[in-house]
Amino acid sequence: MDKLRVLITREQIAAKVAQIGERITADFAGESLMLIGVLKGAAIFLADLARQINLDTTFDFLAVSSYGSARQQSGEVRLVKDIDLPIEGRNIILVEDILDTGLTLTFLLSMLQARRPKSLKVAALLDKISRRTEPVHGDYVGFAIPDEFVVGYGLDFAEQYRNLPDICVLESGSESR
Ligand code: IMP
Ligand code: MG
């Protein structure tokens, strides 16, 4: 049986998302912005963040897949859905649920940078800094968390738990995952 332990409450998330939205609003004052969410995990964060940004803002989504089991990434990242809109000359914020090894972010940043945006920043709700193998960082980071597997607020385990309003540590009885 999986057990869930609340790590970050919905109130803490809401306060942090509002703060990040304020910072982005100040940093891009007078400019327009495009948010690019990484499906599916970032969908809920993007939906909340977009409503805390008081600027001319559009959004789009892309999807990647990485091979491996539900908890273990293999290191291969593949684009499975591209964005619909051109980004050349635009201010882009890539919106991620969580930065882990940084492989996904490295792949996406180089792909997007090649399309010559005006600026390219990263917003990530969660950051497992100790897991990083690639030299990438988030510009707007919600919470640094320890190396524990978390679910909720968009994050899944085998597609489950994305709808939990709080971010929870998934404590499983077995090591088999
Ligand atoms: P990275 O490429 O290793 O940085 O992995 C980033 C992706 O791994 C995230 O977008 C998530 O989909 C997934 N991931 C990493 N850690 C967790 C976790 O604790 N819970 C759920 N998904 C995770
Ligand atoms: Mg996932």
Side-chain angles (χ1 to χ4, degrees):
M1 267 298 279
D2 295 327
K3 274 204 231 141
L4 297 168
R5 167 168 57 83
V6 175
L7 182 68
I8 306 171
T9 66
R10 63 200 79 181
E11 292 83 10
Q12 290 174 305
I13 296 168
K16 188 66 80 173
V17 171
Q19 264 177 31
I20 295 174
E22 265 175 45
R23 278 181 56 205
I24 290 172
T25 301
D27 290 354
F28 290 88
E31 310 245 345
S32 66
L33 198 59
M34 188 192 301
L35 304 177
I36 299 181
V38 183
L39 293 172
K40 304 168 195 165
I44 292 177
F45 178 38
L46 187 146
D48 284 347
L49 181 61
R51 287 175 288 179
Q52 299 294 333
I53 296 174
N54 189 17
L55 297 171
D56 207 346
T57 300
T58 56
F59 52 77
D60 205 343
F61 292 93
L62 52 74
V64 292
S65 79
S66 41
Y67 296 98
S69 71
R71 289 186 185 219
Q72 216 56 45
Q73 312 266 333
S74 71
E76 259 182 272
V77 183
R78 194 165 53 94
L79 186 71
V80 296
K81 184 220 172 294
D82 204 344
I83 48 176
D84 301 325
L85 304 168
I87 64 168
E88 186 170 353
R90 307 283 319 269
N91 293 309
I92 303 300
I93 298 183
L94 184 64
V95 181
E96 265 277 33
D97 50 359
I98 185 167
L99 304 182
D100 190 38
T101 62
L103 283 162
T104 306
L105 186 58
T106 302
F107 171 84
L108 290 176
L109 286 178
S110 75
M111 183 191 88
L112 294 174
Q113 201 68 66
R115 300 179 189 182
R116 300 156 46 90
K118 179 176 180 187
S119 66
L120 178 58
K121 302 284 186 192
V122 175
L125 185 67
L126 303 174
D127 192 354
K128 280 187 196 171
I129 301 162
S130 67
R131 291 262 307 159
R132 197 80 89 257
T133 60
E134 310 304 306
V136 287
H137 68 278
D139 300 286
Y140 304 97
V141 172
F143 303 91
I145 63 166
D147 183 13
E148 292 184 289
F149 198 84
V150 291
V151 296
Y153 197 74
L155 291 138
D156 74 306
F157 173 68
E159 299 297 331
Q160 284 193 80
Y161 307 118
R162 292 193 197 274
N163 61 323
L164 298 179
D166 307 305
I167 291 169
C168 300
V169 175
L170 186 63
E171 293 168 328
S172 71
S174 90
E175 284 300 299
S176 60
R177 301 189 191 282

